[in-house]
Short mmCIF file of all heavy atoms in Angstrom, two decimals:
data_model
loop_
_atom_site.label_atom_id
_atom_site.label_comp_id
_atom_site.label_asym_id
_atom_site.label_seq_id
_atom_site.Cartn_x
_atom_site.Cartn_y
_atom_site.Cartn_z
N MET A 1001 21.07 7.21 -0.32
CA MET A 1001 19.91 6.49 0.17
C MET A 1001 20.37 5.09 0.59
O MET A 1001 20.61 4.24 -0.24
CB MET A 1001 18.88 6.40 -0.97
CG MET A 1001 17.49 6.35 -0.48
SD MET A 1001 16.26 6.13 -1.79
CE MET A 1001 16.23 7.70 -2.57
N SER A 1002 20.50 4.89 1.88
CA SER A 1002 20.97 3.59 2.35
C SER A 1002 19.85 2.76 2.98
O SER A 1002 19.99 1.56 3.14
CB SER A 1002 22.11 3.78 3.35
OG SER A 1002 21.64 4.49 4.48
N ASP A 1003 18.77 3.41 3.39
CA ASP A 1003 17.65 2.68 3.97
C ASP A 1003 16.86 1.99 2.87
O ASP A 1003 16.77 2.48 1.75
CB ASP A 1003 16.72 3.61 4.74
CG ASP A 1003 17.41 4.25 5.93
OD1 ASP A 1003 18.39 3.65 6.42
OD2 ASP A 1003 16.99 5.33 6.35
N SER A 1004 16.28 0.86 3.21
CA SER A 1004 15.44 0.18 2.21
C SER A 1004 14.12 -0.18 2.86
O SER A 1004 14.00 -0.27 4.08
CB SER A 1004 16.13 -1.07 1.70
OG SER A 1004 16.29 -2.01 2.74
N LYS A 1005 13.12 -0.36 2.02
CA LYS A 1005 11.78 -0.74 2.47
C LYS A 1005 11.12 -1.50 1.34
O LYS A 1005 11.52 -1.38 0.18
CB LYS A 1005 10.96 0.47 2.89
CG LYS A 1005 10.71 1.46 1.77
CD LYS A 1005 9.94 2.67 2.27
CE LYS A 1005 9.88 3.75 1.20
NZ LYS A 1005 9.26 4.95 1.70
N PRO A 1006 10.09 -2.26 1.66
CA PRO A 1006 9.38 -2.97 0.60
C PRO A 1006 8.71 -1.98 -0.36
O PRO A 1006 8.33 -0.87 0.04
CB PRO A 1006 8.32 -3.77 1.36
CG PRO A 1006 8.74 -3.78 2.78
CD PRO A 1006 9.59 -2.57 2.98
N TRP A 1007 8.54 -2.39 -1.60
CA TRP A 1007 7.96 -1.51 -2.62
C TRP A 1007 6.56 -1.04 -2.23
O TRP A 1007 6.18 0.08 -2.53
CB TRP A 1007 7.91 -2.21 -3.98
CG TRP A 1007 6.95 -3.36 -4.03
CD1 TRP A 1007 7.23 -4.65 -3.77
CD2 TRP A 1007 5.57 -3.30 -4.35
NE1 TRP A 1007 6.09 -5.42 -3.90
CE2 TRP A 1007 5.05 -4.61 -4.25
CE3 TRP A 1007 4.69 -2.27 -4.70
CZ2 TRP A 1007 3.72 -4.90 -4.49
CZ3 TRP A 1007 3.36 -2.59 -4.94
CH2 TRP A 1007 2.90 -3.88 -4.84
N TYR A 1008 5.81 -1.91 -1.54
CA TYR A 1008 4.41 -1.55 -1.23
C TYR A 1008 4.29 -0.54 -0.10
O TYR A 1008 3.20 -0.09 0.20
CB TYR A 1008 3.59 -2.81 -0.91
CG TYR A 1008 4.18 -3.69 0.16
CD1 TYR A 1008 3.96 -3.43 1.49
CD2 TYR A 1008 4.97 -4.78 -0.18
CE1 TYR A 1008 4.52 -4.23 2.46
CE2 TYR A 1008 5.52 -5.59 0.78
CZ TYR A 1008 5.29 -5.30 2.11
OH TYR A 1008 5.83 -6.10 3.08
N LEU A 1009 5.39 -0.15 0.52
CA LEU A 1009 5.36 0.92 1.52
C LEU A 1009 5.91 2.23 0.97
O LEU A 1009 6.12 3.18 1.72
CB LEU A 1009 6.15 0.49 2.77
CG LEU A 1009 5.56 -0.68 3.54
CD1 LEU A 1009 6.42 -1.00 4.75
CD2 LEU A 1009 4.13 -0.40 3.97
N SER A 1010 6.10 2.30 -0.33
CA SER A 1010 6.62 3.51 -0.96
C SER A 1010 5.48 4.44 -1.35
O SER A 1010 4.57 4.07 -2.10
CB SER A 1010 7.40 3.14 -2.22
OG SER A 1010 7.71 4.29 -2.96
N ARG A 1011 5.53 5.65 -0.82
CA ARG A 1011 4.50 6.64 -1.15
C ARG A 1011 4.54 6.98 -2.64
O ARG A 1011 3.50 7.23 -3.25
CB ARG A 1011 4.72 7.89 -0.28
CG ARG A 1011 3.67 8.95 -0.53
CD ARG A 1011 3.77 10.08 0.48
NE ARG A 1011 3.10 9.65 1.70
CZ ARG A 1011 3.66 9.63 2.90
NH1 ARG A 1011 4.88 10.01 3.05
NH2 ARG A 1011 2.98 9.24 3.96
N THR A 1012 5.72 6.99 -3.24
CA THR A 1012 5.86 7.30 -4.66
C THR A 1012 5.16 6.25 -5.52
O THR A 1012 4.47 6.59 -6.49
CB THR A 1012 7.35 7.40 -5.04
OG1 THR A 1012 7.97 8.38 -4.22
CG2 THR A 1012 7.51 7.76 -6.50
N ILE A 1013 5.34 4.99 -5.18
CA ILE A 1013 4.69 3.92 -5.94
C ILE A 1013 3.18 4.07 -5.87
O ILE A 1013 2.48 4.00 -6.89
CB ILE A 1013 5.12 2.53 -5.41
CG1 ILE A 1013 6.62 2.29 -5.63
CG2 ILE A 1013 4.28 1.42 -6.02
CD1 ILE A 1013 7.03 2.22 -7.08
N TRP A 1014 2.64 4.29 -4.67
CA TRP A 1014 1.19 4.41 -4.52
C TRP A 1014 0.65 5.66 -5.20
O TRP A 1014 -0.42 5.63 -5.81
CB TRP A 1014 0.78 4.34 -3.05
CG TRP A 1014 0.92 2.95 -2.56
CD1 TRP A 1014 1.87 2.47 -1.71
CD2 TRP A 1014 0.11 1.82 -2.94
NE1 TRP A 1014 1.70 1.11 -1.53
CE2 TRP A 1014 0.63 0.69 -2.27
CE3 TRP A 1014 -0.99 1.65 -3.78
CZ2 TRP A 1014 0.07 -0.59 -2.42
CZ3 TRP A 1014 -1.53 0.39 -3.91
CH2 TRP A 1014 -1.01 -0.70 -3.24
N ALA A 1015 1.39 6.76 -5.13
CA ALA A 1015 0.95 7.98 -5.82
C ALA A 1015 0.90 7.74 -7.33
O ALA A 1015 -0.03 8.18 -8.01
CB ALA A 1015 1.88 9.14 -5.49
N SER A 1016 1.89 7.03 -7.84
CA SER A 1016 1.91 6.71 -9.27
C SER A 1016 0.74 5.82 -9.65
O SER A 1016 0.11 6.02 -10.70
CB SER A 1016 3.22 6.03 -9.65
OG SER A 1016 4.30 6.89 -9.39
N MET A 1017 0.45 4.84 -8.83
CA MET A 1017 -0.66 3.92 -9.11
C MET A 1017 -2.00 4.65 -9.07
O MET A 1017 -2.88 4.40 -9.91
CB MET A 1017 -0.63 2.74 -8.14
CG MET A 1017 0.57 1.83 -8.38
SD MET A 1017 0.80 0.58 -7.14
CE MET A 1017 -0.50 -0.57 -7.56
N VAL A 1018 -2.16 5.57 -8.12
CA VAL A 1018 -3.40 6.36 -8.04
C VAL A 1018 -3.53 7.24 -9.28
O VAL A 1018 -4.61 7.37 -9.87
CB VAL A 1018 -3.43 7.20 -6.74
CG1 VAL A 1018 -4.52 8.25 -6.79
CG2 VAL A 1018 -3.62 6.29 -5.55
N THR A 1019 -2.42 7.84 -9.71
CA THR A 1019 -2.44 8.68 -10.91
C THR A 1019 -2.82 7.88 -12.15
O THR A 1019 -3.65 8.32 -12.96
CB THR A 1019 -1.06 9.33 -11.12
OG1 THR A 1019 -0.75 10.12 -9.97
CG2 THR A 1019 -1.05 10.21 -12.36
N ILE A 1020 -2.25 6.70 -12.28
CA ILE A 1020 -2.57 5.82 -13.42
C ILE A 1020 -4.05 5.42 -13.37
O ILE A 1020 -4.76 5.46 -14.39
CB ILE A 1020 -1.66 4.58 -13.43
CG1 ILE A 1020 -0.23 5.00 -13.77
CG2 ILE A 1020 -2.17 3.53 -14.42
CD1 ILE A 1020 0.80 3.91 -13.50
N ALA A 1021 -4.54 5.03 -12.19
CA ALA A 1021 -5.94 4.62 -12.05
C ALA A 1021 -6.89 5.78 -12.36
O ALA A 1021 -7.91 5.60 -13.03
CB ALA A 1021 -6.20 4.07 -10.66
N ALA A 1022 -6.55 6.98 -11.85
CA ALA A 1022 -7.41 8.16 -12.10
C ALA A 1022 -7.44 8.50 -13.58
O ALA A 1022 -8.48 8.83 -14.14
CB ALA A 1022 -6.90 9.34 -11.28
N THR A 1023 -6.29 8.42 -14.24
CA THR A 1023 -6.22 8.71 -15.68
C THR A 1023 -7.02 7.67 -16.48
O THR A 1023 -7.78 8.04 -17.39
CB THR A 1023 -4.76 8.73 -16.16
OG1 THR A 1023 -4.04 9.69 -15.40
CG2 THR A 1023 -4.67 9.05 -17.63
N ALA A 1024 -6.87 6.41 -16.13
CA ALA A 1024 -7.61 5.35 -16.82
C ALA A 1024 -9.12 5.52 -16.61
O ALA A 1024 -9.90 5.39 -17.56
CB ALA A 1024 -7.16 3.98 -16.33
N ALA A 1025 -9.52 5.84 -15.38
CA ALA A 1025 -10.95 6.05 -15.11
C ALA A 1025 -11.49 7.23 -15.90
O ALA A 1025 -12.60 7.17 -16.44
CB ALA A 1025 -11.17 6.26 -13.61
N SER A 1026 -10.72 8.29 -16.00
CA SER A 1026 -11.13 9.46 -16.76
C SER A 1026 -11.27 9.12 -18.24
O SER A 1026 -12.22 9.55 -18.90
CB SER A 1026 -10.12 10.58 -16.57
OG SER A 1026 -10.43 11.68 -17.35
N MET A 1027 -10.33 8.34 -18.76
CA MET A 1027 -10.39 7.94 -20.16
C MET A 1027 -11.60 7.05 -20.44
O MET A 1027 -12.13 7.06 -21.55
CB MET A 1027 -9.11 7.21 -20.55
CG MET A 1027 -7.89 8.11 -20.61
SD MET A 1027 -6.34 7.22 -20.82
CE MET A 1027 -6.59 6.48 -22.41
N LEU A 1028 -12.04 6.30 -19.43
CA LEU A 1028 -13.20 5.43 -19.60
C LEU A 1028 -14.52 6.15 -19.34
O LEU A 1028 -15.58 5.55 -19.42
CB LEU A 1028 -13.07 4.21 -18.68
CG LEU A 1028 -11.92 3.27 -19.01
CD1 LEU A 1028 -11.78 2.21 -17.92
CD2 LEU A 1028 -12.15 2.62 -20.37
N GLY A 1029 -14.43 7.44 -19.01
CA GLY A 1029 -15.64 8.23 -18.86
C GLY A 1029 -16.19 8.36 -17.45
O GLY A 1029 -17.28 8.87 -17.27
N TYR A 1030 -15.44 7.90 -16.47
CA TYR A 1030 -15.90 8.04 -15.09
C TYR A 1030 -15.58 9.44 -14.59
O TYR A 1030 -14.44 9.87 -14.65
CB TYR A 1030 -15.22 7.01 -14.17
CG TYR A 1030 -15.65 5.60 -14.45
CD1 TYR A 1030 -14.86 4.74 -15.20
CD2 TYR A 1030 -16.86 5.13 -13.96
CE1 TYR A 1030 -15.24 3.45 -15.46
CE2 TYR A 1030 -17.27 3.84 -14.22
CZ TYR A 1030 -16.45 3.00 -14.97
OH TYR A 1030 -16.85 1.72 -15.23
N PRO A 1031 -16.59 10.14 -14.07
CA PRO A 1031 -16.33 11.49 -13.56
C PRO A 1031 -15.59 11.43 -12.20
O PRO A 1031 -16.04 10.77 -11.27
CB PRO A 1031 -17.72 12.09 -13.39
CG PRO A 1031 -18.61 10.91 -13.18
CD PRO A 1031 -17.98 9.77 -13.96
N LEU A 1032 -14.46 12.09 -12.13
CA LEU A 1032 -13.69 12.07 -10.89
C LEU A 1032 -13.76 13.39 -10.15
O LEU A 1032 -13.41 13.47 -8.98
CB LEU A 1032 -12.22 11.73 -11.19
CG LEU A 1032 -11.99 10.35 -11.78
CD1 LEU A 1032 -10.52 10.16 -12.10
CD2 LEU A 1032 -12.46 9.27 -10.84
N GLY A 1033 -14.17 14.43 -10.82
CA GLY A 1033 -14.25 15.74 -10.17
C GLY A 1033 -12.89 16.23 -9.74
O GLY A 1033 -11.89 16.03 -10.42
N ASP A 1034 -12.85 16.86 -8.60
CA ASP A 1034 -11.59 17.40 -8.08
C ASP A 1034 -11.02 16.46 -7.02
O ASP A 1034 -11.00 16.76 -5.84
CB ASP A 1034 -11.81 18.79 -7.47
CG ASP A 1034 -12.20 19.80 -8.53
OD1 ASP A 1034 -11.71 19.66 -9.67
OD2 ASP A 1034 -12.99 20.71 -8.22
N ILE A 1035 -10.56 15.31 -7.45
CA ILE A 1035 -10.00 14.32 -6.53
C ILE A 1035 -8.60 14.79 -6.09
O ILE A 1035 -7.82 15.29 -6.88
CB ILE A 1035 -9.93 12.94 -7.19
CG1 ILE A 1035 -9.56 11.88 -6.17
CG2 ILE A 1035 -8.97 12.91 -8.34
CD1 ILE A 1035 -9.74 10.46 -6.68
N ASP A 1036 -8.33 14.65 -4.81
CA ASP A 1036 -7.02 15.00 -4.25
C ASP A 1036 -6.16 13.74 -4.25
O ASP A 1036 -6.24 12.92 -3.35
CB ASP A 1036 -7.19 15.55 -2.84
CG ASP A 1036 -5.88 16.01 -2.22
OD1 ASP A 1036 -4.85 16.00 -2.92
OD2 ASP A 1036 -5.90 16.38 -1.04
N SER A 1037 -5.36 13.59 -5.30
CA SER A 1037 -4.61 12.34 -5.47
C SER A 1037 -3.59 12.11 -4.36
O SER A 1037 -3.32 10.97 -4.00
CB SER A 1037 -3.95 12.28 -6.83
OG SER A 1037 -3.01 13.32 -6.97
N SER A 1038 -3.03 13.17 -3.79
CA SER A 1038 -2.05 12.97 -2.71
C SER A 1038 -2.75 12.44 -1.46
O SER A 1038 -2.20 11.60 -0.75
CB SER A 1038 -1.29 14.26 -2.41
OG SER A 1038 -2.15 15.24 -1.90
N ALA A 1039 -3.95 12.90 -1.18
CA ALA A 1039 -4.70 12.39 -0.02
C ALA A 1039 -5.10 10.94 -0.25
O ALA A 1039 -5.02 10.12 0.67
CB ALA A 1039 -5.94 13.25 0.23
N VAL A 1040 -5.50 10.61 -1.47
CA VAL A 1040 -5.85 9.22 -1.79
C VAL A 1040 -4.63 8.32 -1.64
O VAL A 1040 -4.70 7.24 -1.06
CB VAL A 1040 -6.44 9.11 -3.22
CG1 VAL A 1040 -6.62 7.67 -3.63
CG2 VAL A 1040 -7.76 9.86 -3.31
N SER A 1041 -3.48 8.77 -2.12
CA SER A 1041 -2.24 8.00 -1.99
C SER A 1041 -1.88 7.76 -0.53
O SER A 1041 -1.48 6.65 -0.15
CB SER A 1041 -1.08 8.71 -2.68
OG SER A 1041 -1.35 8.87 -4.03
N ASP A 1042 -2.02 8.78 0.30
CA ASP A 1042 -1.73 8.63 1.73
C ASP A 1042 -2.66 7.61 2.38
O ASP A 1042 -2.22 6.79 3.18
CB ASP A 1042 -1.83 9.97 2.45
CG ASP A 1042 -0.67 10.90 2.13
OD1 ASP A 1042 0.36 10.42 1.62
OD2 ASP A 1042 -0.80 12.12 2.40
N GLU A 1043 -3.94 7.68 2.04
CA GLU A 1043 -4.89 6.73 2.62
C GLU A 1043 -4.62 5.31 2.16
O GLU A 1043 -4.70 4.36 2.94
CB GLU A 1043 -6.32 7.14 2.29
CG GLU A 1043 -6.78 8.39 3.01
CD GLU A 1043 -6.65 8.27 4.51
OE1 GLU A 1043 -7.04 7.24 5.10
OE2 GLU A 1043 -6.16 9.24 5.12
N VAL A 1044 -4.30 5.14 0.89
CA VAL A 1044 -3.97 3.81 0.36
C VAL A 1044 -2.75 3.26 1.08
O VAL A 1044 -2.73 2.09 1.48
CB VAL A 1044 -3.74 3.85 -1.17
CG1 VAL A 1044 -3.13 2.57 -1.68
CG2 VAL A 1044 -5.05 4.13 -1.90
N LEU A 1045 -1.74 4.10 1.28
CA LEU A 1045 -0.54 3.67 1.99
C LEU A 1045 -0.86 3.26 3.43
O LEU A 1045 -0.33 2.27 3.93
CB LEU A 1045 0.52 4.77 1.97
CG LEU A 1045 1.87 4.43 2.59
CD1 LEU A 1045 2.49 3.21 1.92
CD2 LEU A 1045 2.81 5.62 2.50
N ARG A 1046 -1.74 3.99 4.09
CA ARG A 1046 -2.14 3.63 5.46
C ARG A 1046 -2.84 2.27 5.48
O ARG A 1046 -2.59 1.45 6.35
CB ARG A 1046 -3.04 4.70 6.03
CG ARG A 1046 -2.31 5.95 6.42
CD ARG A 1046 -3.24 6.95 7.12
NE ARG A 1046 -2.55 8.18 7.33
CZ ARG A 1046 -2.87 9.33 6.77
NH1 ARG A 1046 -3.92 9.41 5.98
NH2 ARG A 1046 -2.17 10.42 7.00
N VAL A 1047 -3.71 2.04 4.52
CA VAL A 1047 -4.41 0.76 4.45
C VAL A 1047 -3.44 -0.38 4.18
O VAL A 1047 -3.49 -1.43 4.83
CB VAL A 1047 -5.53 0.81 3.37
CG1 VAL A 1047 -6.09 -0.57 3.09
CG2 VAL A 1047 -6.63 1.77 3.79
N VAL A 1048 -2.52 -0.17 3.24
CA VAL A 1048 -1.52 -1.21 2.92
C VAL A 1048 -0.65 -1.50 4.15
O VAL A 1048 -0.36 -2.66 4.44
CB VAL A 1048 -0.66 -0.78 1.72
CG1 VAL A 1048 0.55 -1.67 1.55
CG2 VAL A 1048 -1.50 -0.79 0.46
N THR A 1049 -0.25 -0.46 4.87
CA THR A 1049 0.56 -0.66 6.07
C THR A 1049 -0.20 -1.45 7.13
O THR A 1049 0.35 -2.37 7.76
CB THR A 1049 1.00 0.71 6.65
OG1 THR A 1049 1.71 1.42 5.64
CG2 THR A 1049 1.88 0.54 7.86
N ALA A 1050 -1.47 -1.13 7.33
CA ALA A 1050 -2.28 -1.87 8.30
C ALA A 1050 -2.45 -3.33 7.89
O ALA A 1050 -2.33 -4.24 8.73
CB ALA A 1050 -3.65 -1.19 8.45
N ILE A 1051 -2.71 -3.56 6.63
CA ILE A 1051 -2.87 -4.94 6.13
C ILE A 1051 -1.57 -5.72 6.27
O ILE A 1051 -1.59 -6.88 6.70
CB ILE A 1051 -3.37 -4.94 4.67
CG1 ILE A 1051 -4.82 -4.45 4.61
CG2 ILE A 1051 -3.25 -6.33 4.05
CD1 ILE A 1051 -5.35 -4.20 3.23
N SER A 1052 -0.44 -5.10 5.96
CA SER A 1052 0.83 -5.81 6.09
C SER A 1052 1.12 -6.14 7.56
O SER A 1052 1.69 -7.18 7.87
CB SER A 1052 1.97 -5.04 5.46
OG SER A 1052 2.21 -3.82 6.14
N GLY A 1053 0.72 -5.26 8.47
CA GLY A 1053 0.87 -5.55 9.90
C GLY A 1053 0.01 -6.73 10.32
O GLY A 1053 0.47 -7.60 11.09
N LEU A 1054 -1.21 -6.78 9.84
CA LEU A 1054 -2.09 -7.91 10.16
C LEU A 1054 -1.55 -9.22 9.60
O LEU A 1054 -1.59 -10.26 10.26
CB LEU A 1054 -3.50 -7.64 9.62
CG LEU A 1054 -4.29 -6.57 10.34
CD1 LEU A 1054 -5.58 -6.27 9.58
CD2 LEU A 1054 -4.59 -6.99 11.76
N ILE A 1055 -1.02 -9.17 8.39
CA ILE A 1055 -0.43 -10.37 7.79
C ILE A 1055 0.78 -10.83 8.59
O ILE A 1055 0.96 -12.04 8.81
CB ILE A 1055 -0.06 -10.11 6.31
CG1 ILE A 1055 -1.34 -9.96 5.48
CG2 ILE A 1055 0.81 -11.22 5.76
CD1 ILE A 1055 -1.12 -9.48 4.07
N ALA A 1056 1.59 -9.89 9.07
CA ALA A 1056 2.76 -10.26 9.88
C ALA A 1056 2.34 -10.93 11.18
O ALA A 1056 2.92 -11.95 11.59
CB ALA A 1056 3.61 -9.02 10.17
N ILE A 1057 1.33 -10.39 11.83
CA ILE A 1057 0.83 -10.99 13.07
C ILE A 1057 0.25 -12.37 12.80
O ILE A 1057 0.54 -13.34 13.51
CB ILE A 1057 -0.22 -10.08 13.74
CG1 ILE A 1057 0.46 -8.82 14.28
CG2 ILE A 1057 -0.95 -10.81 14.86
CD1 ILE A 1057 -0.50 -7.75 14.74
N PHE A 1058 -0.56 -12.48 11.76
CA PHE A 1058 -1.15 -13.77 11.41
C PHE A 1058 -0.06 -14.80 11.08
O PHE A 1058 -0.12 -15.95 11.50
CB PHE A 1058 -2.10 -13.62 10.22
CG PHE A 1058 -2.76 -14.90 9.81
CD1 PHE A 1058 -3.78 -15.44 10.57
CD2 PHE A 1058 -2.34 -15.56 8.66
CE1 PHE A 1058 -4.37 -16.64 10.19
CE2 PHE A 1058 -2.94 -16.75 8.28
CZ PHE A 1058 -3.96 -17.28 9.04
N GLY A 1059 0.95 -14.36 10.35
CA GLY A 1059 2.05 -15.26 10.01
C GLY A 1059 2.80 -15.74 11.23
O GLY A 1059 3.18 -16.91 11.32
N ARG A 1060 3.00 -14.87 12.19
CA ARG A 1060 3.71 -15.27 13.41
C ARG A 1060 2.86 -16.23 14.24
O ARG A 1060 3.36 -17.19 14.81
CB ARG A 1060 4.06 -14.02 14.23
CG ARG A 1060 4.89 -14.28 15.45
CD ARG A 1060 6.26 -14.82 15.08
NE ARG A 1060 6.35 -16.21 15.51
CZ ARG A 1060 7.26 -17.08 15.11
NH1 ARG A 1060 8.15 -16.75 14.24
NH2 ARG A 1060 7.25 -18.30 15.54
N VAL A 1061 1.57 -16.01 14.30
CA VAL A 1061 0.68 -16.90 15.05
C VAL A 1061 0.65 -18.28 14.42
O VAL A 1061 0.63 -19.29 15.12
CB VAL A 1061 -0.75 -16.29 15.14
CG1 VAL A 1061 -1.74 -17.29 15.68
CG2 VAL A 1061 -0.74 -15.04 16.00
N GLN A 1062 0.69 -18.34 13.10
CA GLN A 1062 0.63 -19.60 12.38
C GLN A 1062 2.00 -20.30 12.24
O GLN A 1062 2.06 -21.44 11.81
CB GLN A 1062 0.06 -19.39 10.97
CG GLN A 1062 -1.38 -18.91 10.99
CD GLN A 1062 -2.32 -19.93 11.58
OE1 GLN A 1062 -2.21 -21.12 11.32
NE2 GLN A 1062 -3.25 -19.48 12.40
N ALA A 1063 3.08 -19.62 12.64
CA ALA A 1063 4.41 -20.18 12.46
C ALA A 1063 4.60 -21.43 13.31
O ALA A 1063 4.01 -21.61 14.36
CB ALA A 1063 5.46 -19.15 12.85
N ARG A 1064 5.43 -22.32 12.82
CA ARG A 1064 5.68 -23.58 13.51
C ARG A 1064 7.07 -23.65 14.16
O ARG A 1064 7.40 -24.64 14.77
CB ARG A 1064 5.53 -24.72 12.52
CG ARG A 1064 4.14 -24.77 11.88
CD ARG A 1064 3.88 -26.11 11.25
NE ARG A 1064 2.66 -26.12 10.49
CZ ARG A 1064 1.44 -26.18 11.02
NH1 ARG A 1064 1.27 -26.18 12.29
NH2 ARG A 1064 0.39 -26.21 10.22
N SER A 1065 7.87 -22.61 14.02
CA SER A 1065 9.18 -22.63 14.65
C SER A 1065 9.36 -21.40 15.53
O SER A 1065 8.69 -20.37 15.35
CB SER A 1065 10.29 -22.68 13.59
OG SER A 1065 10.17 -21.58 12.73
N LEU A 1066 10.28 -21.49 16.46
CA LEU A 1066 10.53 -20.41 17.41
C LEU A 1066 11.41 -19.33 16.80
O LEU A 1066 12.21 -19.61 15.92
CB LEU A 1066 11.23 -20.98 18.66
CG LEU A 1066 10.44 -22.00 19.47
CD1 LEU A 1066 11.32 -22.56 20.58
CD2 LEU A 1066 9.23 -21.34 20.08
N ILE A 1067 11.28 -18.14 17.32
CA ILE A 1067 12.17 -17.05 16.95
C ILE A 1067 13.30 -17.03 17.97
O ILE A 1067 13.08 -17.10 19.16
CB ILE A 1067 11.43 -15.69 16.98
CG1 ILE A 1067 10.30 -15.67 15.98
CG2 ILE A 1067 12.40 -14.56 16.74
CD1 ILE A 1067 9.47 -14.41 16.04
N ARG A 1068 14.54 -16.95 17.50
CA ARG A 1068 15.68 -16.91 18.43
C ARG A 1068 16.38 -15.60 18.36
O ARG A 1068 16.47 -14.92 17.46
CB ARG A 1068 16.67 -18.01 18.08
CG ARG A 1068 16.08 -19.35 18.35
CD ARG A 1068 17.14 -20.39 18.07
NE ARG A 1068 16.49 -21.69 18.17
CZ ARG A 1068 17.01 -22.71 18.78
NH1 ARG A 1068 18.18 -22.63 19.32
NH2 ARG A 1068 16.37 -23.84 18.83
#
């Protein structure tokens, strides 16, 4: 594995976080029914990717130095 990416773009990290959140919600008595955790993880990853893209654009617009 030679490629690298930020932790927040890892599908494994988000799947783990969804699993932890679903387990915690179940333990607290929230009914989750038949939630598809892989679909939720994919959607969360899409949202995170879109937000990181917006932050990158905003950061470039607000930057005070040129890119060379």
Side-chain angles (χ1 to χ4, degrees):
M1001 210 184 286
S1002 62
D1003 296 336
S1004 65
K1005 62 183 171 185
W1007 68 269
Y1008 53 84
L1009 294 180
S1010 170
R1011 182 171 279 124
T1012 303
I1013 296 295
W1014 287 108
S1016 299
M1017 291 172 75
V1018 167
T1019 301
I1020 291 167
T1023 303
S1026 176
M1027 290 171 63
L1028 294 173
Y1030 292 100
L1032 297 177
D1034 294 327
I1035 189 169
D1036 183 6
S1037 62
S1038 65
V1040 172
S1041 299
D1042 287 343
E1043 290 304 314
V1044 168
L1045 183 58
R1046 286 185 187 116
V1047 169
V1048 168
T1049 303
I1051 290 171
S1052 65
L1054 289 172
I1055 290 171
I1057 291 170
F1058 181 75
R1060 185 65 249 164
V1061 169
Q1062 296 296 319
R1064 301 197 188 284
S1065 58
L1066 297 175
I1067 298 176
R1068 293 183 187 224

